């Protein structure tokens, strides 16, 4: 669909060009001293995507020189004389004797000049295919000035915003849709710290993207991720720091605009040749910087949207209740950081999950283990996080601009006096907290302890905190006090009780059954708050199933990636063991690719994105997560699809975690699905990253062909898709 779209667009452009180009079109993309541009003239980039000419915005009669898309509405992406309009059509864009590009009026007065830092006498301006107008030295072709380094309100592909060659490059909004002069809003990157985008209203920060983790911004939901676009944040020691993007494949055409009302928009060309707003970065009030003040948390789905972090209370209760939240919150109990934290009651941490982390972080170059411990040792440190792709971050004092997401984001550990932690616990009638740490030991003994505890504490507490270290081997339980919150390795997982899940799934009614996972049936459920979940129930208490269950909990609770299914919690009560996942409305990939009717919903573009998504998920498991994980059971039915058909790898019951240097392991118990297993694994039990890659290859062939690997039984000689591919 998208492919035909761009073709259509090109055709449109050619037609347009043919109709506009009645003048001399030989030097169609340059302006020079001998070849000035009059008001009636237009030049085009060589691929006809952009044009340079005169225009009147909105309902005005003012004339401006600008770069426009060649779409029917001639969408303006850059303006030269934005502050000094021409009042008639006598204007001209030309190169002056000093080599600068300039807009002159009828009286030959200079309304705008490129003001190149080092102009050269003999130069030519050329409009390039990416929309950049480049003034270059005729003698050596070197660029002396570029419109991309002097942008107005649009961010086009390959453009760089940030600090380049000691110059700050920012977007600035128009004053109004009919006035391109500099408006109230600007957008750029920060100077130091973790790379991030910021937008200002008359110099006052009103939006931030959240830190860049190497792939995405923590504060921008990943649901907007475009696999056809590659984003880059570059920062080097020479002081260059910029953000840029480009198309991986030009089947989409899009750009970003800072509108005159301060919206940050992504606009994508649709079938009608209109620039449709495909995303708006300031979506809710919670995207406004510091909406809830210091130590407040903003959740667009809550009412009211602002609330104080746990252990904090409004600084001014009256103002807060009236809905003016900017004053923020203060701690109920002061930190006891001056006391020795290795003995007695030190401070601990409270974990917030899936948040946009606060502004003004300090990058600390320590390991994940030391990140939390170091924070406790530093009196000024009020919170920490450890984000894959960034590392350890600490915060001084107030935490400003925290937004709660329902998924993605990062985890934030907020330092808290231990009295507050105890308080928070007792309030929720939590008498004991169990931490399960895996270490060498006996699985059955461990599960005995676990059941024992569950039986005793049934119905008392809603959350158990699971600290998981080495999974798959064996389990050990221990009663943990609030002091051990300081251990940054801890992972917390909400515990659901049996009744809740039974009600949610209507007593595991067969009509709610979604399918069969690795170790038991999966049911669709609806929690009392209305959110939909998938509940996977361990079918019997065989040690096999239990081991896979524990394995899955330990593997997936440590991972976060947009191409991995997300674990929301678990239930361990008596004989019942269940895992609660986000619900995937589009079920799994096999339901699409092998279904003749649904197959049609997956065009090539979509299939490509699915393959890339699976690849990204796998890369994360193998290389980018802090563990090295071999999935061992990658197949179409283990790839779930969310509402936008983004793939998510699921079912980690058989996954294995590799140590840092380990490349290969051996198992006497070959598990997985025949047809997807690499030969060396199926035959000799050897597995490594390569086994997953093999399965990925089989999956790839299935996605392309729409046939199951094992669907060739009727053929005489060929048993599998792999055989078929080899033979043909
Ligand atoms: C131009 O005028 C029309 C009709 O008067 C109005 O609907 C439109 O909003 C105006 N456009 C701008 C950009 O002011
Ligand atoms: C400008 O440069 C071009 C190409 O190098 C050359 O042909 C032309 O004579 C030069 N003009 C002047 C005025 O130097
Ligand atoms: C930027 O400025 C710094 C210090 O003023 C200087 O050392 C450096 O060379 C400059 N870089 C460029 C590309 O001009
Ligand atoms: C882009 O897509 C076209 C068809 O849609 C394909 O022919 C081309 O190989 C793709 N290019 C890249 C770099 O993926
Ligand atoms: C820009 O700021 C001025 C002064 O605060 C205000 O009057 C004007 O309405 C603002 N414009 C927009 C589009 O917000
Ligand atoms: C325009 O964008 C909206 C999202 O902002 C989307 O729902 C709609 O389908 C898009 N329309 C077209 C024609 O692409
Ligand atoms: C912490 O305790 C150790 C030994 O118990 C002592 O040497 C040290 O001075 C104490 N530090 C503080 C900040 O009280
Ligand atoms: C936090 O405090 C440290 C130590 O006082 C200081 O070096 C750092 O600049 C502060 N960071 C911020 C973001 O204020």
């Amino acid at each position: 669909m998208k492919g035909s779209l761009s073709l259509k667009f090109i055709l449109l452009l050619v037609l347009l060009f043919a109709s506009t180009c009645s003048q001399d079109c030989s030097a169609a993309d340059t302006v020079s001293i001998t070849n000035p541009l009059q008001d009636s003239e237009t030049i085009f980039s060589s691929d006809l995507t952009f044009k340079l000419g005169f225009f009147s915005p909105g309902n005005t009669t003012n004339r401006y020189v600008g770069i426009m898309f060649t779409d029917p509405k001639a969408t303006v992406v850059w303006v030269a004389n934005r502050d000094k309009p021409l009042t008639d059509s006598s204007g001209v864009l030309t190169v002056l004797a000093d080599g600068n590009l300039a807009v002159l009026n009828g009286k030959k007065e200079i309304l705008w000049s490129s003001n190149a830092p080092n102009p050269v006498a003999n130069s030519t301006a050329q409009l390039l295919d990416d929309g950049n107008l480049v003034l270059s030295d005729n003698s050596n072709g070197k660029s002396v000035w570029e419109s991309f380094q002097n942008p107005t309100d649009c961010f086009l592909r390959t453009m760089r915003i940030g600090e380049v060659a000691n110059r700050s490059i920012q977007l600035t909004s128009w004053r109004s849709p009919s006035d391109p002069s500099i408006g109230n809003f600007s957008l750029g990157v920060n100077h130091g710290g973790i790379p991030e985008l910021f937008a200002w209203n008359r110099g006052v920060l009103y939006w931030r993207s959240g830190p860049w983790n190497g792939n995405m911004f923590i504060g921008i939901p990943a649901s907007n991720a475009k696999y056809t676009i590659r984003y880059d944040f570059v920062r080097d020691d020479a002081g260059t720091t910029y953000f840029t993007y480009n198309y991986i494949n030009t089947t989409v055409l899009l750009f970003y605009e800072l509108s005159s009302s301060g919206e940050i928009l992504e606009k994508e060309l649709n079938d009608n040749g209109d620039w449709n707003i495909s995303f708006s970065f300031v979506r809710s009030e919670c995207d406004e910087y510091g909406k809830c003040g210091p130590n407040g948390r903003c959740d667009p789905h809550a009412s009211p949207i602002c609330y104080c972090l746990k252990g904090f209370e409004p600084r001014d209760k009256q103002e807060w209740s009236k809905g003016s939240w900017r004053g923020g919150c203060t701690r109920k109990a002061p930190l006891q950081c001056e006391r020795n934290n290795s003995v007695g009651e030190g401070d601990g941490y409270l974990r917030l999950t899936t948040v946009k982390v606060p502004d003004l972080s300090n990058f600390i170059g320590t390991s994940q283990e030391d990140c939390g411990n170091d924070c406790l040792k530093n009196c000024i440190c009020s919170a920490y996080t450890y984000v894959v792709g960034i590392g350890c971050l600490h915060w001084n004092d107030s935490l400003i601009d925290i937004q709660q997401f329902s998924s993605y984001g990062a985890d934030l550990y907020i330092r808290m006096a231990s009295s507050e932690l105890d308080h928070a616990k007792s309030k929720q009638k939590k008498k004991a907290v169990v931490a399960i740490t895996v270490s060498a030991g006996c699985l059955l003994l461990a599960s005995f302890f676990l059941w024992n505890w569950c039986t005793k504490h049934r119905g008392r507490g809603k959350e158990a905190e699971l600290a998981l270290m080495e999974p798959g081997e064996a389990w050990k339980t221990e009663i943990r006090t609030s002091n051990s919150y300081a251990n940054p390795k801890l992972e917390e997982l909400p515990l659901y009780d049996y009744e809740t899940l039974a009600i949610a799934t209507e007593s595991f009614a067969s009509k709610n059954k979604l399918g069969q996972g690795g170790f038991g049936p999966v049911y669709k459920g609806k929690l009392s708050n209305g959110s939909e979940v998938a509940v996977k129930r361990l079918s019997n208490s065989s040690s096999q199933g239990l081991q896979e269950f524990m394995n899955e909990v330990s593997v997936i609770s440590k991972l976060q990636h947009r191409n991995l299914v997300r674990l929301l919690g678990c239930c361990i009560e008596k004989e019942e063991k269940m895992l609660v996942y986000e619900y995937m409305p589009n079920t799994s990939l096999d339901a699409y690719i092998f279904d003749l009717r649904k197959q049609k919903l997956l065009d090539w573009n979509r299939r490509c994105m699915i393959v890339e998504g699976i690849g990204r998920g796998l890369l994360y498991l193998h290389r980018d997560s802090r563990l090295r994980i071999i999935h061992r059971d990658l197949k179409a039915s283990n790839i779930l699809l969310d509402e936008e058909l983004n793939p998510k790898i699921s079912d980690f019951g058989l996954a294995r975690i590799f140590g840092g240097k380990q490349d290969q392991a051996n198992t006497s118990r070959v598990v997985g699905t025949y047809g997807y297993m690499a030969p060396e694994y199926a035959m000799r039990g050897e597995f490594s990253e390569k086994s997953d890659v093999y399965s990925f290859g089989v999956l790839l062939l299935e996605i392309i062909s729409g046939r199951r690997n094992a669907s060739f039984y009727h053929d005489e000689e060929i048993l599998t898709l792999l055989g078929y591919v080899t033979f043909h």
Side-chain angles (χ1 to χ4, degrees), residues 81-104:
N81 55 326
R82 65 189 300 187
D83 293 316
K84 287 194 182 161
L86 292 151
T87 48
D88 54 28
S89 57
S90 62
V92 59
L93 176 72
T94 187
V95 174
L96 299 176
D98 71 357
N100 270 312
L101 192 64
V103 176
L104 308 179

PDB file of all heavy atoms in Angstrom, residues 81-104:
ATOM      1  N   ASN A  81      12.994  34.920   4.198  1.00  0.00           N
ATOM      2  CA  ASN A  81      12.760  36.248   4.777  1.00  0.00           C
ATOM      3  C   ASN A  81      11.595  36.221   5.742  1.00  0.00           C
ATOM      4  O   ASN A  81      10.639  36.972   5.599  1.00  0.00           O
ATOM      5  CB  ASN A  81      12.508  37.260   3.650  1.00  0.00           C
ATOM      6  CG  ASN A  81      11.375  36.833   2.730  1.00  0.00           C
ATOM      7  OD1 ASN A  81      11.186  35.641   2.477  1.00  0.00           O
ATOM      8  ND2 ASN A  81      10.611  37.794   2.234  1.00  0.00           N
ATOM      9  N   ARG A  82      11.651  35.337   6.782  1.00  0.00           N
ATOM     10  CA  ARG A  82      10.480  35.135   7.631  1.00  0.00           C
ATOM     11  C   ARG A  82      10.096  36.398   8.397  1.00  0.00           C
ATOM     12  O   ARG A  82       8.930  36.588   8.714  1.00  0.00           O
ATOM     13  CB  ARG A  82      10.684  33.953   8.575  1.00  0.00           C
ATOM     14  CG  ARG A  82      11.770  34.120   9.590  1.00  0.00           C
ATOM     15  CD  ARG A  82      12.047  32.818  10.351  1.00  0.00           C
ATOM     16  NE  ARG A  82      10.885  32.313  11.083  1.00  0.00           N
ATOM     17  CZ  ARG A  82      10.935  31.279  11.912  1.00  0.00           C
ATOM     18  NH1 ARG A  82      12.070  30.631  12.099  1.00  0.00           N
ATOM     19  NH2 ARG A  82       9.857  30.878  12.549  1.00  0.00           N
ATOM     20  N   ASP A  83      11.067  37.253   8.722  1.00  0.00           N
ATOM     21  CA  ASP A  83      10.756  38.463   9.500  1.00  0.00           C
ATOM     22  C   ASP A  83      10.439  39.676   8.629  1.00  0.00           C
ATOM     23  O   ASP A  83       9.897  40.656   9.116  1.00  0.00           O
ATOM     24  CB  ASP A  83      11.925  38.797  10.423  1.00  0.00           C
ATOM     25  CG  ASP A  83      12.092  37.737  11.502  1.00  0.00           C
ATOM     26  OD1 ASP A  83      11.058  37.329  12.067  1.00  0.00           O
ATOM     27  OD2 ASP A  83      13.227  37.297  11.741  1.00  0.00           O
ATOM     28  N   LYS A  84      10.838  39.631   7.352  1.00  0.00           N
ATOM     29  CA  LYS A  84      10.613  40.792   6.486  1.00  0.00           C
ATOM     30  C   LYS A  84       9.935  40.384   5.189  1.00  0.00           C
ATOM     31  O   LYS A  84      10.601  40.098   4.198  1.00  0.00           O
ATOM     32  CB  LYS A  84      11.960  41.466   6.172  1.00  0.00           C
ATOM     33  CG  LYS A  84      12.529  42.211   7.367  1.00  0.00           C
ATOM     34  CD  LYS A  84      13.650  43.115   6.916  1.00  0.00           C
ATOM     35  CE  LYS A  84      14.274  43.824   8.104  1.00  0.00           C
ATOM     36  NZ  LYS A  84      15.609  44.346   7.770  1.00  0.00           N
ATOM     37  N   PRO A  85       8.608  40.388   5.203  1.00  0.00           N
ATOM     38  CA  PRO A  85       7.911  39.978   3.976  1.00  0.00           C
ATOM     39  C   PRO A  85       8.054  41.002   2.856  1.00  0.00           C
ATOM     40  O   PRO A  85       8.279  42.189   3.104  1.00  0.00           O
ATOM     41  CB  PRO A  85       6.461  39.870   4.436  1.00  0.00           C
ATOM     42  CG  PRO A  85       6.357  40.726   5.641  1.00  0.00           C
ATOM     43  CD  PRO A  85       7.698  40.715   6.302  1.00  0.00           C
ATOM     44  N   LEU A  86       7.934  40.535   1.637  1.00  0.00           N
ATOM     45  CA  LEU A  86       7.818  41.424   0.483  1.00  0.00           C
ATOM     46  C   LEU A  86       6.354  41.821   0.406  1.00  0.00           C
ATOM     47  O   LEU A  86       5.470  41.039   0.738  1.00  0.00           O
ATOM     48  CB  LEU A  86       8.189  40.671  -0.793  1.00  0.00           C
ATOM     49  CG  LEU A  86       9.652  40.257  -0.928  1.00  0.00           C
ATOM     50  CD1 LEU A  86       9.760  39.001  -1.768  1.00  0.00           C
ATOM     51  CD2 LEU A  86      10.444  41.399  -1.544  1.00  0.00           C
ATOM     52  N   THR A  87       6.103  43.050  -0.041  1.00  0.00           N
ATOM     53  CA  THR A  87       4.706  43.476  -0.102  1.00  0.00           C
ATOM     54  C   THR A  87       4.142  43.384  -1.514  1.00  0.00           C
ATOM     55  O   THR A  87       2.957  43.595  -1.727  1.00  0.00           O
ATOM     56  CB  THR A  87       4.579  44.921   0.413  1.00  0.00           C
ATOM     57  OG1 THR A  87       5.591  45.692  -0.225  1.00  0.00           O
ATOM     58  CG2 THR A  87       4.753  44.973   1.918  1.00  0.00           C
ATOM     59  N   ASP A  88       5.004  43.099  -2.474  1.00  0.00           N
ATOM     60  CA  ASP A  88       4.503  42.947  -3.843  1.00  0.00           C
ATOM     61  C   ASP A  88       5.285  41.835  -4.537  1.00  0.00           C
ATOM     62  O   ASP A  88       6.071  41.137  -3.913  1.00  0.00           O
ATOM     63  CB  ASP A  88       4.659  44.273  -4.602  1.00  0.00           C
ATOM     64  CG  ASP A  88       6.090  44.789  -4.540  1.00  0.00           C
ATOM     65  OD1 ASP A  88       7.015  43.945  -4.418  1.00  0.00           O
ATOM     66  OD2 ASP A  88       6.306  46.011  -4.573  1.00  0.00           O
ATOM     67  N   SER A  89       5.094  41.685  -5.811  1.00  0.00           N
ATOM     68  CA  SER A  89       5.733  40.572  -6.502  1.00  0.00           C
ATOM     69  C   SER A  89       7.008  40.999  -7.234  1.00  0.00           C
ATOM     70  O   SER A  89       7.401  40.389  -8.210  1.00  0.00           O
ATOM     71  CB  SER A  89       4.741  39.921  -7.460  1.00  0.00           C
ATOM     72  OG  SER A  89       4.270  40.901  -8.361  1.00  0.00           O
ATOM     73  N   SER A  90       7.632  42.067  -6.712  1.00  0.00           N
ATOM     74  CA  SER A  90       8.847  42.532  -7.380  1.00  0.00           C
ATOM     75  C   SER A  90      10.108  41.915  -6.776  1.00  0.00           C
ATOM     76  O   SER A  90      11.216  42.277  -7.141  1.00  0.00           O
ATOM     77  CB  SER A  90       8.942  44.062  -7.270  1.00  0.00           C
ATOM     78  OG  SER A  90       9.036  44.415  -5.899  1.00  0.00           O
ATOM     79  N   GLY A  91       9.928  40.997  -5.831  1.00  0.00           N
ATOM     80  CA  GLY A  91      11.089  40.443  -5.135  1.00  0.00           C
ATOM     81  C   GLY A  91      11.924  39.519  -6.010  1.00  0.00           C
ATOM     82  O   GLY A  91      11.479  39.025  -7.046  1.00  0.00           O
ATOM     83  N   VAL A  92      13.167  39.296  -5.525  1.00  0.00           N
ATOM     84  CA  VAL A  92      14.050  38.385  -6.244  1.00  0.00           C
ATOM     85  C   VAL A  92      14.989  37.702  -5.244  1.00  0.00           C
ATOM     86  O   VAL A  92      15.394  38.301  -4.250  1.00  0.00           O
ATOM     87  CB  VAL A  92      14.832  39.138  -7.357  1.00  0.00           C
ATOM     88  CG1 VAL A  92      15.679  40.266  -6.774  1.00  0.00           C
ATOM     89  CG2 VAL A  92      15.712  38.188  -8.152  1.00  0.00           C
ATOM     90  N   LEU A  93      15.241  36.421  -5.505  1.00  0.00           N
ATOM     91  CA  LEU A  93      16.235  35.687  -4.698  1.00  0.00           C
ATOM     92  C   LEU A  93      17.471  35.552  -5.563  1.00  0.00           C
ATOM     93  O   LEU A  93      17.403  35.026  -6.681  1.00  0.00           O
ATOM     94  CB  LEU A  93      15.704  34.301  -4.339  1.00  0.00           C
ATOM     95  CG  LEU A  93      16.692  33.392  -3.573  1.00  0.00           C
ATOM     96  CD1 LEU A  93      16.881  33.869  -2.141  1.00  0.00           C
ATOM     97  CD2 LEU A  93      16.222  31.944  -3.596  1.00  0.00           C
ATOM     98  N   THR A  94      18.600  36.031  -5.043  1.00  0.00           N
ATOM     99  CA  THR A  94      19.802  35.981  -5.884  1.00  0.00           C
ATOM    100  C   THR A  94      21.042  35.801  -5.026  1.00  0.00           C
ATOM    101  O   THR A  94      20.970  35.839  -3.797  1.00  0.00           O
ATOM    102  CB  THR A  94      19.921  37.275  -6.723  1.00  0.00           C
ATOM    103  OG1 THR A  94      20.998  37.130  -7.645  1.00  0.00           O
ATOM    104  CG2 THR A  94      20.163  38.496  -5.847  1.00  0.00           C
ATOM    105  N   VAL A  95      22.161  35.591  -5.688  1.00  0.00           N
ATOM    106  CA  VAL A  95      23.435  35.543  -4.990  1.00  0.00           C
ATOM    107  C   VAL A  95      24.080  36.915  -5.171  1.00  0.00           C
ATOM    108  O   VAL A  95      24.125  37.456  -6.281  1.00  0.00           O
ATOM    109  CB  VAL A  95      24.338  34.431  -5.553  1.00  0.00           C
ATOM    110  CG1 VAL A  95      25.712  34.488  -4.923  1.00  0.00           C
ATOM    111  CG2 VAL A  95      23.697  33.076  -5.320  1.00  0.00           C
ATOM    112  N   LEU A  96      24.523  37.507  -4.054  1.00  0.00           N
ATOM    113  CA  LEU A  96      25.130  38.839  -4.120  1.00  0.00           C
ATOM    114  C   LEU A  96      26.592  38.741  -4.531  1.00  0.00           C
ATOM    115  O   LEU A  96      27.179  37.669  -4.568  1.00  0.00           O
ATOM    116  CB  LEU A  96      25.048  39.505  -2.739  1.00  0.00           C
ATOM    117  CG  LEU A  96      23.657  39.725  -2.169  1.00  0.00           C
ATOM    118  CD1 LEU A  96      23.745  40.304  -0.764  1.00  0.00           C
ATOM    119  CD2 LEU A  96      22.836  40.630  -3.079  1.00  0.00           C
ATOM    120  N   ALA A  97      27.176  39.899  -4.800  1.00  0.00           N
ATOM    121  CA  ALA A  97      28.576  39.931  -5.221  1.00  0.00           C
ATOM    122  C   ALA A  97      29.484  39.343  -4.139  1.00  0.00           C
ATOM    123  O   ALA A  97      30.501  38.716  -4.434  1.00  0.00           O
ATOM    124  CB  ALA A  97      28.988  41.363  -5.527  1.00  0.00           C
ATOM    125  N   ASP A  98      29.096  39.511  -2.842  1.00  0.00           N
ATOM    126  CA  ASP A  98      29.940  38.945  -1.775  1.00  0.00           C
ATOM    127  C   ASP A  98      29.745  37.438  -1.611  1.00  0.00           C
ATOM    128  O   ASP A  98      30.374  36.803  -0.759  1.00  0.00           O
ATOM    129  CB  ASP A  98      29.683  39.668  -0.445  1.00  0.00           C
ATOM    130  CG  ASP A  98      28.319  39.337   0.163  1.00  0.00           C
ATOM    131  OD1 ASP A  98      27.530  38.583  -0.472  1.00  0.00           O
ATOM    132  OD2 ASP A  98      28.031  39.809   1.271  1.00  0.00           O
ATOM    133  N   GLY A  99      28.841  36.865  -2.396  1.00  0.00           N
ATOM    134  CA  GLY A  99      28.666  35.416  -2.347  1.00  0.00           C
ATOM    135  C   GLY A  99      27.526  34.963  -1.469  1.00  0.00           C
ATOM    136  O   GLY A  99      27.227  33.777  -1.411  1.00  0.00           O
ATOM    137  N   ASN A 100      26.884  35.912  -0.748  1.00  0.00           N
ATOM    138  CA  ASN A 100      25.740  35.508   0.078  1.00  0.00           C
ATOM    139  C   ASN A 100      24.468  35.413  -0.753  1.00  0.00           C
ATOM    140  O   ASN A 100      24.268  36.172  -1.696  1.00  0.00           O
ATOM    141  CB  ASN A 100      25.529  36.518   1.210  1.00  0.00           C
ATOM    142  CG  ASN A 100      26.298  36.148   2.456  1.00  0.00           C
ATOM    143  OD1 ASN A 100      26.252  35.000   2.899  1.00  0.00           O
ATOM    144  ND2 ASN A 100      27.033  37.112   2.998  1.00  0.00           N
ATOM    145  N   LEU A 101      23.607  34.489  -0.319  1.00  0.00           N
ATOM    146  CA  LEU A 101      22.293  34.372  -0.927  1.00  0.00           C
ATOM    147  C   LEU A 101      21.417  35.445  -0.276  1.00  0.00           C
ATOM    148  O   LEU A 101      21.521  35.668   0.927  1.00  0.00           O
ATOM    149  CB  LEU A 101      21.751  32.973  -0.603  1.00  0.00           C
ATOM    150  CG  LEU A 101      20.518  32.468  -1.320  1.00  0.00           C
ATOM    151  CD1 LEU A 101      20.814  32.346  -2.817  1.00  0.00           C
ATOM    152  CD2 LEU A 101      20.109  31.106  -0.750  1.00  0.00           C
ATOM    153  N   ALA A 102      20.564  36.142  -1.078  1.00  0.00           N
ATOM    154  CA  ALA A 102      19.782  37.220  -0.480  1.00  0.00           C
ATOM    155  C   ALA A 102      18.435  37.362  -1.157  1.00  0.00           C
ATOM    156  O   ALA A 102      18.250  36.992  -2.319  1.00  0.00           O
ATOM    157  CB  ALA A 102      20.553  38.534  -0.568  1.00  0.00           C
ATOM    158  N   VAL A 103      17.474  37.893  -0.385  1.00  0.00           N
ATOM    159  CA  VAL A 103      16.173  38.259  -0.939  1.00  0.00           C
ATOM    160  C   VAL A 103      16.147  39.780  -1.051  1.00  0.00           C
ATOM    161  O   VAL A 103      16.377  40.491  -0.064  1.00  0.00           O
ATOM    162  CB  VAL A 103      15.021  37.780  -0.027  1.00  0.00           C
ATOM    163  CG1 VAL A 103      13.679  38.248  -0.577  1.00  0.00           C
ATOM    164  CG2 VAL A 103      15.047  36.261   0.122  1.00  0.00           C
ATOM    165  N   LEU A 104      15.922  40.283  -2.253  1.00  0.00           N
ATOM    166  CA  LEU A 104      15.881  41.726  -2.484  1.00  0.00           C
ATOM    167  C   LEU A 104      14.472  42.124  -2.878  1.00  0.00           C
ATOM    168  O   LEU A 104      13.752  41.353  -3.515  1.00  0.00           O
ATOM    169  CB  LEU A 104      16.824  42.113  -3.633  1.00  0.00           C
ATOM    170  CG  LEU A 104      18.270  41.625  -3.554  1.00  0.00           C
ATOM    171  CD1 LEU A 104      19.038  42.080  -4.784  1.00  0.00           C
ATOM    172  CD2 LEU A 104      18.941  42.117  -2.284  1.00  0.00           C
TER     173      LEU A 104
END
